[in-house]
Amino acid sequence: LIAELQAIDILYDKGYRNVVFSLPFINDADELTKVKKMVKKYCKNDIKLGIFIETPSAINEFNYMIDSGIECAYIGTKDLTQMILACDRGNKLVSHIYNSKKRAVLSSLQTILSVGNKRNTPVFLFSLLDDVYFYLEHLKGLKSLSICTSEYLQLFY
């Protein structure tokens, strides 16, 4: 992590100030505070930090992480759905449980978007192609939605 932060620090030294270092699978504001201390200790520049919301605990901690000073948040819907529904979409024995359109998932996504919009913190939603239109229809305040390149190419081939 220190090497990654220092690599971003070098980019900042070269004038690339629009780079945000985003932390995956972060659970709470305490973890974010530890990373911020590492930035102060090992970097010359104040590195902008973002978070990936991929665990239920991160949903509950989102307000506190905003208070800790993040630039933005990214919702990893595949991982978050698996965590919320306690399933593994890659395991054929339990993959049938995976359903990113369940109320528990949708409610969680809406909570994140609502908090982000209320607190003026950009939230980017990463989605499976199959879910794009569903999310656009059912999520209020969704401003940024992304899909992976391989799924994007399916739109054309």
Side-chain angles (χ1 to χ4, degrees):
L1 179 57
I2 294 168
E4 291 175 337
L5 291 169
Q6 289 174 329
I8 301 297
D9 199 35
I10 291 168
L11 291 175
Y12 274 49
D13 284 343
K14 292 182 178 188
Y16 297 101
R17 298 290 175 144
N18 61 340
V19 177
V20 176
F21 185 80
S22 297
L23 302 158
F25 285 99
I26 192 157
N27 283 305
D28 56 42
D30 293 338
E31 290 177 344
L32 184 60
T33 299
K34 289 175 185 174
V35 174
K36 286 185 147 295
K37 286 179 182 175
M38 293 172 79
V39 169
K40 284 193 185 299
K41 183 174 181 178
Y42 296 105
C43 300
K44 293 177 270 179
N45 298 286
D46 188 21
I47 307 294
K48 297 175 191 171
L49 297 176
I51 59 165
F52 278 88
I53 300 178
E54 298 164 303
T55 65
S57 61
I59 298 167
N60 294 320
E61 285 281 315
F62 188 31
N63 261 312
Y64 302 107
M65 289 191 263
I66 293 171
D67 290 341
S68 294
I70 58 169
E71 285 293 309
C72 56
Y74 307 90
I75 305 171
T77 58
K78 293 184 291 187
D79 291 318
L80 184 57
T81 298
Q82 290 183 120
M83 296 284 189
I84 290 170
L85 301 178
C87 69
D88 177 0
R89 68 188 195 101
N91 181 334
K92 65 181 179 181
L93 297 174
V94 294
S95 62
H96 64 280
I97 298 169
Y98 183 92
N99 181 344
S100 52
K101 296 172 182 160
K102 289 262 191 182
R103 276 190 305 270
V105 175
L106 197 60
S107 173
S108 296
L109 297 177
Q110 189 61 67
T111 296
I112 299 163
L113 291 169
S114 296
V115 169
N117 288 334
K118 182 178 178 185
R119 301 286 308 272
N120 294 314
T121 301
V123 176
F124 302 91
L125 184 92
F126 289 97
S127 170
L128 291 169
L129 179 58
D130 290 344
D131 295 334
V132 167
Y133 294 109
F134 179 82
Y135 289 151
L136 287 171
E137 183 178 334
H138 290 90
L139 292 173
K140 293 177 180 70
L142 177 59
K143 297 176 183 173
S144 300
L145 190 139
S146 299
I147 58 174
C148 69
T149 305
S150 63
E151 291 200 326
Y152 176 76
L153 293 174
Q154 291 176 28
L155 293 170
F156 303 103
Y157 301 105

